Amino acid sequence: MEGLSIQNVNLEHFENLERHKTQGFLSSKALVVRRGEPFRITVYLRGRPFNPRTDSLKIKIMLGRLSLTLPVTSSQNSPLSDWNAYFDPKSNNFRNPSILIRPSASAPVGYYEFQLFVVPQNSLGSPTFSSFVLLCNPWCSEDSVFLPFEDQREEYVLRDYGLVFMGTPMNTVSRPWSYDLYESGVLEACMNLLEVSPQHQRNPNMDYLERSDPVYIGRVVSAMVNSEDDRGVVKGNWSDNFDQGVHPSLWTGSGDILRQWAQSGFSPVKYGQCWVFAAVMCTAMRVLGIPCRVITNYNSAHDANGNLVIEEVYNETGQKLNLSRDSIWNFHVWVECWMTRKDLGSNMDGWQVLDPTPQERSKGVYCCGPAPVKAIRSQRTDVPYDVPFVYAEVNADVHTIIMAQGKVINVSKDTERVGALICTKAVGVPRLQDITGSYKYVEIPAVPAVPAALTISSRSSTMPDVSTMSRAASSKGVLVSTSLDKSPVVGEPIRLTVKVTNRERVAKKVEVHINAQAKDYSHNPSDTFWENHDVIQLGPMEGKVLRHQILPEQYEDAVGDKLINLAVVLQDMSTLERILTSEEFNIVSPDLIIQVVDKNVVPNKEHTAIVTFTNPFTHPVSGVLTVTGAGLLQEKIQFRIRELRPGGRVENSVKFTPKMVGRMMLHASLSLSEANIIIRGFVVISVNSI
């Protein structure tokens, strides 16, 4: 009988990438597909035609040393939980047969190889080798990461840019971030992340088997994004010294970080802070096919002793002191991933908190989660993983203590401050979505009834009103409140109002101490940079208003990523009673303005954008302007800005050529030489088909 062998196998890249929603990975050397969905290959045979009655094709699937062999049949009716290989029912070409290979919907994520061999009646043909990368599949109803809404799959799996929210709950700041899912080397680095993990190094076979479960993958990635216990990606640094690496605020995307890590032989990249850890993890999880979004928790508690109480200590004139291991970060950034929790039951399915920032150990390792958001909201602190820690981050009480001469002279409690706002980027649009209600029960203000067709969200997704930027404290005898007249903006005075009210029918003499300190988002503040001390007389039931302003030249060192802690201490001179009210706020830098010249942006054609900066400071500035854009620019573009006078304006022209259709982000950052200040701007560009 005439011989029969395999000459070549065509992996049909374009068709399979489109079918599996992996078109962005076209530049990858391997075919990238998703589990639970078949992919097609075409087999080119040498010799006589294939005879299905006497010949058979077999496929050996290999993941490391694990393997299974599939006969190619004519039946496609098998459970999604099984692997299957069958002849394409739409093709009758047995000279070059088409075969559909459907991975199990619960197959492990990883880099697979396969052998295809033909078995004639009397002899065994030579096998042909090929490979593919297998990802999770949120489009497959049998996959444990199935997400039932297409707009959310587009946002949380396929979108390669986003916003990270920073600042304060009363003055949110959106920072653009490029997840770089489809940039060169990123897919490979994310697969390396799994291979380099301690779990894989200890027992590769067990690690491969466990990779079927997104809960396991999430814990591995959470640990591997930080470098504390392993050969992880990012080294954290919360000091003021970044000489041995890159200041965390200078990173604009995940691609540079992941490539540097892989190219260095898996040495940690210096440096990161919470938003860097979270954004890199978001990249890794989306690349692996697990829906993921970046979350900001404002006034996030780090409860070191687990008692759900954060203590903050001030002296008698309002200066905040560093006397407690507990802390409140003005914001903390983590991720949520969407998955079923077969280990806990369907009532814990959905969004899960994962936090790669190394804060506390979980089962001996610096990782956190996945903690079901539903468990956090329902106070189920018995549920794994790390629910008690995350619950404290959004629910701890704050005890504010005033000390004088080593003695506690006043303690006040605040049950509303921690977790004041929890948010993420809204689906499909570049703005904030308030998700506080998914973590904790919140009071919804009553609103007038509207017709059903006009119903809107009961929680605002826009920036809070400036009128909420006030704090108050009271005692039996006096009431004090502070408020900012408007959101502080660079180049303008900070105008603040302190109102003191006598609540009794006797005259009072009162000391008013106001103290302002600059601080990083995760630290206690540094020394006082502005203060004011008054003694006022109050008649019975009288209220007085004190107005102050902090000039730009007094606060400019607190611009950029820094914030201001403002405290007011009131002392009743007759009773010596003291009360304190405090607020932390940020001073918003102006955005860089980016304008796209062409109205219709299309692939593979050069277009122009103009980046404009106006100096808002009271002194000349210099710096480096960096422009990046995944899918728009091959590499970052930099411009040097020199001695731009106060009020001066500079424009830079940027040429970009989109690679494919879709929405992409062009973003720019200006790093000023005079201080650790970075000014940013972005524009989302819709690239249309020609």
Side-chain angles (χ1 to χ4, degrees), residues 166-168 171 173 175 238-242 247 249 273 275 330-331 488 490 517-527 529 555-565 584-589 675-678 680:
M166 307 172 78
T168 62
N171 204 6
V173 174
R175 173 173 295 183
W238 285 266
S239 74
D240 290 325
N241 183 358
F242 304 100
H247 192 296
S249 291
Q273 292 181 3
W275 68 91
N330 292 89
F331 61 87
V490 167
Q517 298 165 268
K519 72 183 294 288
D520 292 320
Y521 77 100
S522 60
H523 290 166
N524 280 321
S526 56
D527 293 338
F529 72 86
Y555 68 68
E556 281 185 346
D557 288 341
V559 175
D561 291 332
K562 291 189 178 295
L563 300 102
I564 290 176
N565 186 91
E584 292 181 342
F585 59 87
N586 52 313
I587 304 171
V588 177
S589 299
N676 289 325
I677 298 174
I678 301 172
R680 299 175 176 84

Side-chain angles (χ1 to χ4, degrees), residues 266-285:
F266 314 119
S267 296
V269 177
K270 302 176 181 179
Y271 293 103
Q273 292 181 3
C274 66
W275 68 91
V276 179
F277 289 111
V280 171
M281 183 165 184
C282 186
T283 294
M285 299 304 273

